[in-house]
Amino acid sequence: MADPTYDEAIRRIRRMHWLHYPIQAAVMAAFVLAASRRTAGSGTVNPQLATWPALLLLGGLLLLVGVLVYLVSSQIKPNLRRPATENLRLYQSRIFLRNSLLGLTGLPPLVTFTITKSPIDLVFFGCLLLTLCAVMAPSAKTYQRWLIG
């Protein structure tokens, strides 16, 4: 697979991968900050107790979305009889779904930050997403393993 279009497609998938996590982190942060303003108002005596119903709902939704994304991702399988461009497009879709699912693991520290206001939670959130991004980076080798696996 020393084709220049193949190499360009792998580079495009890698760029998409590296952009996915910061964009998803920004979207999650915006949603969590917007939701935190609505859950515990300034008049609440104990904001930690007032936010538990919203956190339970968020946890349930997170679990539901995670299961749905995993089920869709597991159905994306390669076929050597397909054209190479089609398999690359399917691989890109699978990477996008996997990144979306793994990016959701950063939601609990982000929600914890809105409750505790501890900067350690933000540092953990950033380190978690950076580690996931580095460890799960796609390559030509991982694509070939997915293709024959």
Side-chain angles (χ1 to χ4, degrees):
M1 294 207 165
D3 186 19
T5 57
Y6 168 76
D7 293 334
E8 178 57 36
I10 294 295
R11 281 194 296 275
R12 186 184 69 246
I13 291 170
R14 285 182 68 87
R15 280 191 306 269
M16 180 205 61
H17 169 80
W18 283 99
L19 284 174
H20 185 99
Y21 282 100
I23 291 171
Q24 185 175 358
V27 169
M28 284 189 318
F31 278 129
V32 167
L33 290 175
S36 71
R37 291 190 182 115
R38 301 184 89 204
T39 55
S42 58
T44 306
V45 176
N46 192 347
Q48 285 84 5
L49 287 176
T51 57
W52 74 267
L55 289 177
L56 286 176
L57 179 65
L58 181 65
L61 287 174
L62 181 64
L63 184 63
L64 179 67
V65 167
V67 168
L68 289 174
V69 169
Y70 176 76
L71 290 174
V72 169
S73 177
S74 67
Q75 296 301 316
I76 299 175
K77 298 188 189 304
N79 186 346
L80 294 176
R81 294 181 185 163
R82 280 191 197 116
T85 56
E86 183 69 21
N87 277 326
L88 280 166
R89 191 172 33 245
L90 286 174
Y91 183 67
Q92 182 175 1
S93 300
R94 186 171 189 274
I95 293 295
F96 183 82
L97 286 173
R98 184 196 66 194
N99 289 347
S100 298
L101 179 62
L102 289 175
L104 290 176
T105 60
L107 202 53
L110 194 58
V111 170
T112 304
F113 169 75
T114 62
I115 296 171
T116 64
K117 304 292 187 219
S118 172
I120 294 173
D121 293 325
L122 279 183
V123 170
F124 180 71
F125 173 70
C127 289
L128 176 68
L129 291 183
L130 186 61
T131 302
L132 283 172
C133 195
V135 168
M136 302 305 286
S139 66
K141 189 175 184 176
T142 59
Y143 169 71
Q144 289 168 355
R145 264 190 268 145
W146 173 77
L147 193 59
I148 61 173

